[in-house]
Amino acid sequence: MTSVEEPARTNGRIRDAARTQAEILDVATQEFARAGYDGARVDEIAARTRTTKRMIYYYFGGKEQLFTAVLERAYSVIREAEQQLDVEHLDPVAAIRRLAELTFDHHEQHPDFIRLVSIENIHGAEHIAASEKLGRIGSPALDVIRRILESGQESGLFTADVDAVDLHAMISSYCFFRVSNRHTFGALFGRDLVDPARREYYRTMLGDMVIAYLTAPRAED
């Protein structure tokens, strides 16, 4: 980890630390998503912000720590959205559809998140594994899914023997693939998975697939 003392303030101006760090993270998110971890350069990030490489090192410690901070913020956005999700007043079928739609909307609106996660997987999730913050964040969606599954199973609406983690993976995989594989899928099959004209079709299809799986008749053992 690079140790850098706080740079001297020039022209009598006191920087807004929170604003400066947010700006650095904004630009770093774009640069890491564009160039990957290995290709991204702190010099380039500094050149595109109202700060210096020295200041970036002061706030974040180095490139590795900066990338970890970018991941932490990216994951916190979806986790905050999950925490704000209110489905307690909905029946289990409507509730699970709403949760699926939340993931669908988030992944579509945050393509940089998809690229960052793909990059982190290339690196074996080493930054996530080393982040205490990400270890504490967990997924509020899992708690929501557990409650919905319990309600649906108790009422007899849900017949699938599935846990919250696997259902979360099922929903996320569809939403992730739709954005991450847009270009290769389009080149191979001539169909744009994020075509605005087909957005509601795909959004509804996701909910229909999840609900069909959860409510399908099961053969008796």
Side-chain angles (χ1 to χ4, degrees), residues 145-173:
I145 292 174
R146 289 188 185 100
R147 293 197 299 270
I148 297 172
L149 286 176
E150 289 174 2
S151 176
Q153 289 163 350
E154 289 173 1
S155 67
L157 286 170
F158 293 166
T159 59
D161 183 16
V162 62
D163 67 15
V165 174
D166 286 342
L167 189 60
H168 183 59
M170 179 181 180
I171 294 169
S172 296
S173 61

Side-chain angles (χ1 to χ4, degrees), residues 91-112:
D91 67 78
V93 170
I96 207 68
R97 183 183 290 276
R98 181 68 194 92
L99 180 66
E101 290 172 346
L102 172 71
T103 306
F104 182 98
D105 294 343
H106 172 271
H107 285 21
E108 179 182 75
Q109 294 163 7
H110 297 85
D112 281 354

Side-chain angles (χ1 to χ4, degrees), residues 178-214:
R178 178 172 169 265
V179 179
S180 68
N181 289 43
R182 169 189 182 180
H183 299 294
T184 52
F185 195 89
L188 290 170
F189 302 106
R191 179 165 294 175
D192 183 358
L193 293 176
V194 296
D195 179 358
R198 295 179 63 84
R199 181 181 188 277
E200 287 307 312
Y201 169 81
Y202 287 132
R203 195 169 184 259
T204 299
M205 186 170 75
L206 168 63
D208 289 347
M209 288 191 300
V210 174
I211 293 165
Y213 170 71
L214 291 174

Side-chain angles (χ1 to χ4, degrees), residues 36-151:
Y37 177 76
D38 293 329
R41 296 289 179 265
V42 177
D43 285 330
E44 176 65 20
I45 295 168
R48 293 173 54 197
T49 60
R50 293 172 295 176
T51 187
T52 63
K53 183 177 180 179
R54 181 180 175 85
M55 184 66 81
I56 292 174
Y57 283 147
Y58 169 70
Y59 282 129
F60 297 99
K63 180 180 176 180
E64 183 176 355
Q65 292 81 8
L66 177 58
F67 183 63
T68 299
V70 165
L71 287 172
E72 289 171 347
R73 192 177 71 158
Y75 273 99
S76 71
V77 172
I78 180 63
R79 297 301 175 251
E80 289 171 6
E82 290 167 354
Q83 288 177 324
Q84 294 172 9
L85 183 65
D86 180 15
V87 295
E88 300 301 327
H89 63 290
L90 299 176
D91 67 78
V93 170
I96 207 68
R97 183 183 290 276
R98 181 68 194 92
L99 180 66
E101 290 172 346
L102 172 71
T103 306
F104 182 98
D105 294 343
H106 172 271
H107 285 21
E108 179 182 75
Q109 294 163 7
H110 297 85
D112 281 354
F113 172 76
I114 304 300
R115 287 190 283 270
L116 290 169
V117 173
S118 298
I119 292 163
E120 179 64 353
N121 272 286
I122 291 172
H123 289 271
E126 61 185 37
H127 302 90
I128 289 178
S131 169
E132 293 183 7
K133 182 176 181 179
L134 283 171
R136 294 193 304 267
I137 284 177
S139 176
L142 293 181
D143 293 331
V144 176
I145 292 174
R146 289 188 185 100
R147 293 197 299 270
I148 297 172
L149 286 176
E150 289 174 2
S151 176

